Amino acid sequence: MAKPFLSIERLTQQFPDGAGGTLTVFENASFGVEKGEFVCILGHSGCGKSTIMNILAGLAEPTSGVVKMDGMHVSGPSLDRGVVFQNYSLLPWLSALKNVTFGVSARHKGWSKAKVEEHARAYLAMVGLEGDVVHRKPSQLSGGMRQRVSIARAFANQPKLLLLDEPFGALDALTRGTIQDELIKVWSQTEQTVFMITHDIDEAILLADRILLMTNGPLARVAESVDITIPRPRNRTEIVEHPNYYAIRNHLVQFLGQRSKDLAGHGSDGQDQRPETVHIDKAAHAEADVDIEPEGAHLRAVND
Amino acid sequence: MIRNFDARSALLSVLILISGLAIWHFATHVPETGPVGVVLSAEQTDTLLGNNMAAEDIEFYASQGVAFPQLEQIAALNLSRETIEMAGGIRALGISVPDANSAPAPGSLFPSPAKIGVELWATITDPFYVAGTNDMGFGIQIGYSLLRVIIGYTLAAAVAIPLGFLIGMSPLAYKALDPYIQVLKPISPLAWMPIALFTIGDSELSSIFVIFICSLWPMLSNTAFGVASVRSDWVNVARTHELGTLRTALTVILPAAAPTIVTGMRISIGIAWLVIVAAEMLVGGTGIGYVVWNEWNGLRLDRMIVAILLIGVMGMLLDAAFARLQRAVSYVE
């Protein structure tokens, strides 16, 4: 099997537990992301999603294991991996436009000022920010607008991998919907590889090609990889009509409600822990509800 | 409403000023008692009139406290009052006036607001005169003080801000140097004066050193604190954009910490201006602090008060300049 574009190999993260021992967040976690793929990772709080994200971003070092992108080891942060943080992380003393040009000029050091600004404006326009709004400081923008700027900043740098850490977590439902649509629009125009953390099942189904499901921590693992067998372009009002929608959704709800607990807390016994691929496609073969295909050599039985 | 509010506060300020000046005026005001007049009997007046002395002259000299025997002497001169005054007054003509009657009642030694006003106007209209080493315009003296503050303060900023940056960026350095800063910071700047005078020798350089040392600590600790408490999210933004250490420091940490740094600078300039007055009182020679001390020694309280007023106004201007700088670098999260 060819190596995927982004390959996470036997990643282990341990922290001191404050009582002299160590707390293993996850152990020997392995999975891959293909080029141009939109992958969401779902799991309860404390399962280590953000830790994985920080390792991918290069902001944290794993206890052991490696991350390879394009066959190269990832170590330290890089412009090849753009990050959209949950709290936007805009620089408050810069205008929206300057926040984006800040990133663009870091990426393209040789560009003229005018070219940097033009590029930045183009990406701000993609997320619906045009005109005088771009000269406002983040404090003068609504939460939704701030996150749009943050998304524009990340996309404008055209990183090989875009990491989104619960980007819509702090937004109200209506704004969330609008920005999700904008994210899809930008993503479909740029064909970026995206890895996104979310808490929201519907958001994950709407956006992702594939959803990784994480069990509860400690000793969490990426247990399943669920293909989203709903064709694009997707629309939030239409996808609920698709026969696969509720099948997938129910599977995810059951996982988060029950199996994430059942599967939690097992050590890896030194084994490489790869997620099982779950392919649910009621539309293709009406008789087969759930079709589980092994992805890796080491499989665990699904005990539900 | 805001306009209205501003107008109201301005009005209140003026009222406070007026009532303050009024209290000051009445506290220092002594009514002009003048010499105690002499009351003449009818016969005495008649005698003087008989000696060819004008009635109004008799009344004038009597009101000046000149007694009857002396009045007789004046009458004997047979001169008009005009002539007597031209000759230098009755005292010049050898006619004595009893002291108890002629000495004016002592006024207040503390200058009245009107007197201060006159002195202030003199200072404003001619701030840069030089009439001798101890008699120079207050503009020049303020200039000396300001120059010392600017030199000492600039040197302190040149040391404190880069050093504070390094301390703030390194948790190890922060922890290691913190005890020294905490011990050295509360030492009164003037306590350094003897050490400075002993090691440097020159009094001019010593007062600049004292300004340096007192401006150093607030800038150093504020810069270190500001840099150390820059939100890790912003530093992460710099890291994910592969900014080098220098560019991170200049484009992310400096603007993020700027409000805290400028606050430190503002505190420092305030302290420096407080200290220069005391330092100049100690070393003497020139400067507005020296002026206060010199005028006190010469008991020119009016000039001393004008100097004190100027110290206040200058300090306010310095603070206002940094307040403006503070507004320029502040941001809302």
Side-chain angles (χ1 to χ4, degrees):
Chain A
M1 197 168 81
K3 285 262 181 203
F5 168 68
L6 176 73
S7 139
I8 285 88
E9 293 166 17
R10 301 184 74 107
L11 212 57
T12 301
Q13 182 72 53
Q14 291 169 326
F15 292 119
D17 63 0
T22 54
L23 178 81
T24 305
V25 186
F26 46 80
E27 210 174 40
N28 293 325
S30 301
F31 59 91
V33 176
E34 295 300 334
K35 199 171 180 68
E37 204 176 15
F38 198 128
V39 174
C40 280
I41 186 157
L42 264 177
H44 289 279
S45 297
C47 70
K49 302 184 301 268
S50 289
T51 310
I52 290 183
M53 174 70 73
N54 283 338
I55 292 169
L56 293 182
L59 295 171
E61 283 290 319
T63 309
S64 68
V66 290
V67 175
K68 286 182 184 172
M69 191 167 81
D70 254 353
M72 304 279 285
H73 273 254
V74 161
S75 74
S78 153
L79 280 163
D80 285 338
R81 280 161 280 128
V83 189
V84 174
F85 298 93
Q86 181 178 8
N87 52 13
Y88 328 130
S89 287
L90 298 175
L91 304 176
W93 55 90
L94 296 178
S95 67
L97 179 63
K98 287 272 163 58
N99 262 290
V100 181
T101 56
F102 173 89
V104 177
S105 56
R107 177 79 179 184
H108 305 282
K109 293 192 175 69
W111 282 14
S112 72
K113 227 178 151 186
K115 193 170 181 194
V116 166
E117 194 180 313
E118 190 194 357
H119 187 81
R121 278 181 188 276
Y123 275 86
L124 280 166
M126 270 190 221
V127 291
L129 293 177
E130 282 174 287
D132 286 343
V133 179
V134 300
H135 296 298
R136 287 203 213 151
K137 298 269 170 73
S139 58
Q140 298 161 313
L141 297 171
S142 67
M145 282 176 170
R146 286 184 214 181
Q147 194 56 288
R148 285 187 172 115
V149 177
S150 183
I151 289 169
R153 179 174 69 185
F155 272 95
N157 271 2
Q158 296 157 317
K160 290 181 184 168
L161 173 66
L162 194 60
L163 301 163
L164 306 173
D165 187 359
E166 280 185 58
F168 311 125
L171 301 178
D172 63 272
L174 287 173
T175 315
R176 189 186 267 248
T178 323
I179 304 187
Q180 282 164 357
D181 292 342
E182 258 146 23
L183 179 63
I184 294 184
K185 204 176 79 192
V186 180
W187 175 74
S188 56
Q189 284 171 26
T190 54
E191 294 177 337
Q192 208 85 58
T193 310
V194 180
F195 186 80
M196 171 169 153
I197 293 183
T198 180
H199 272 128
D200 185 329
I201 292 176
D202 296 301
E203 176 175 284
I205 298 174
L206 175 69
L207 297 173
D209 293 317
R210 198 149 63 82
I211 295 175
L212 296 174
L213 292 170
M214 262 185 110
T215 65
N216 292 359
L219 284 171
R221 47 181 282 228
V222 181
E224 291 181 13
S225 160
V226 182
D227 293 337
I228 306 302
T229 47
I230 300 172
R232 291 184 192 269
R234 296 178 196 153
N235 178 311
R236 71 183 61 257
T237 49
E238 286 163 15
I239 55 167
V240 293
E241 313 279 343
H242 196 275
N244 290 343
Y245 182 81
Y246 278 102
I248 293 169
R249 195 174 189 283
N250 290 344
H251 183 84
L252 299 178
V253 170
Q254 270 175 17
F255 180 91
L256 291 175
Q258 192 56 45
R259 290 204 303 284
S260 63
K261 286 192 218 84
D262 298 342
L263 292 170
H266 302 298
S268 66
D269 305 325
Q271 300 288 310
D272 193 1
Q273 297 200 316
R274 285 189 179 275
E276 294 142 12
T277 299
V278 178
H279 191 84
I280 303 168
D281 198 348
K282 287 201 160 187
H285 16 106
E287 73 283 357
D289 286 351
V290 177
D291 180 13
I292 297 178
E293 293 168 5
E295 189 195 72
H298 309 285
L299 258 186
R300 283 176 164 267
V302 185
N303 41 3
D304 62 340
Chain B
M1 183 61 206
I2 286 176
R3 262 190 104 82
N4 198 6
F5 179 79
D6 285 351
R8 270 158 50 201
S9 65
L11 184 69
L12 189 59
S13 291
V14 170
L15 282 177
I16 290 169
L17 178 70
I18 290 171
S19 53
L21 286 175
I23 291 169
W24 184 2
H25 174 78
F26 286 113
T28 54
H29 178 76
V30 175
E32 293 253 352
T33 49
V36 180
V38 172
V39 182
L40 298 170
S41 68
E43 306 100 274
Q44 286 172 334
T45 313
D46 288 344
T47 315
L48 291 171
L49 286 169
N51 283 349
N52 220 4
M53 196 170 177
E56 51 179 80
D57 285 7
I58 297 169
E59 200 179 319
F60 172 78
Y61 286 117
S63 74
Q64 293 293 303
V66 183
F68 178 68
Q70 283 79 31
L71 284 172
E72 277 194 302
Q73 290 175 14
I74 295 169
L77 293 170
N78 207 7
L79 296 170
S80 73
R81 199 172 106 208
E82 216 170 36
T83 324
I84 292 172
E85 293 302 321
M86 272 167 64
I90 50 171
R91 278 188 187 80
L93 296 172
I95 297 165
S96 64
V97 177
D99 276 352
N101 287 352
S102 65
S108 173
L109 279 177
F110 199 82
S112 66
K115 215 171 165 196
I116 302 294
V118 171
E119 197 54 50
L120 188 62
W121 180 248
T123 301
I124 291 167
T125 47
D126 187 14
F128 300 112
Y129 73 90
V130 179
T133 43
N134 270 348
D135 190 8
M136 282 188 261
F138 286 176
I140 293 178
Q141 302 286 24
I142 285 260
Y144 275 117
S145 303
L146 205 55
L147 191 67
R148 286 182 191 127
V149 165
I150 288 170
I151 295 171
Y153 181 84
T154 310
L155 288 174
V159 172
I161 294 172
L163 190 63
F165 232 91
L166 293 178
I167 295 173
M169 285 179 96
S170 154
L172 183 73
Y174 197 108
K175 208 160 181 192
L177 290 173
D178 194 52
Y180 298 106
I181 296 174
Q182 296 308 332
V183 168
L184 292 172
K185 198 165 65 168
I187 296 175
S188 165
L190 292 173
W192 292 98
M193 200 51 146
I195 297 176
L197 286 170
F198 182 78
T199 51
I200 303 172
D202 185 65
S203 66
E204 181 73 39
L205 288 178
S206 295
S207 47
I208 290 174
F209 172 77
V210 167
I211 294 303
F212 168 81
I213 207 87
C214 77
S215 313
L216 192 68
W217 309 116
M219 283 197 269
L220 186 65
S221 58
N222 262 48
T223 306
F225 175 76
V227 169
S229 49
V230 169
R231 275 177 49 183
S232 58
D233 296 341
W234 300 336
V235 180
N236 280 345
V237 168
R239 290 179 67 196
T240 53
H241 285 89
E242 285 186 35
L243 298 189
T245 314
L246 190 66
R247 262 196 88 188
T248 305
L250 291 178
T251 60
V252 177
I253 294 174
L254 185 63
T260 322
I261 295 173
V262 174
T263 302
M265 293 175 78
R266 195 174 167 189
I267 296 169
S268 278
I269 197 76
I271 293 177
W273 191 244
L274 288 180
V275 166
I276 192 66
V277 173
E280 284 168 349
M281 281 182 172
L282 217 54
V283 299
T286 48
I288 198 72
Y290 168 68
V291 166
V292 171
W293 200 245
N294 193 36
E295 301 297 354
W296 156 242
N297 282 333
L299 268 184
R300 285 296 304 274
L301 292 185
D302 49 348
R303 282 176 64 83
M304 188 187 85
I305 289 167
V306 169
I308 290 172
L309 198 63
L310 288 179
I311 292 171
V313 170
M314 201 61 225
M316 184 188 77
L317 291 178
L318 287 173
D319 189 64
F322 277 90
R324 182 166 280 208
L325 182 63
Q326 210 169 18
R327 270 198 301 277
V329 297
S330 70
Y331 55 83
V332 188
E333 274 185 42

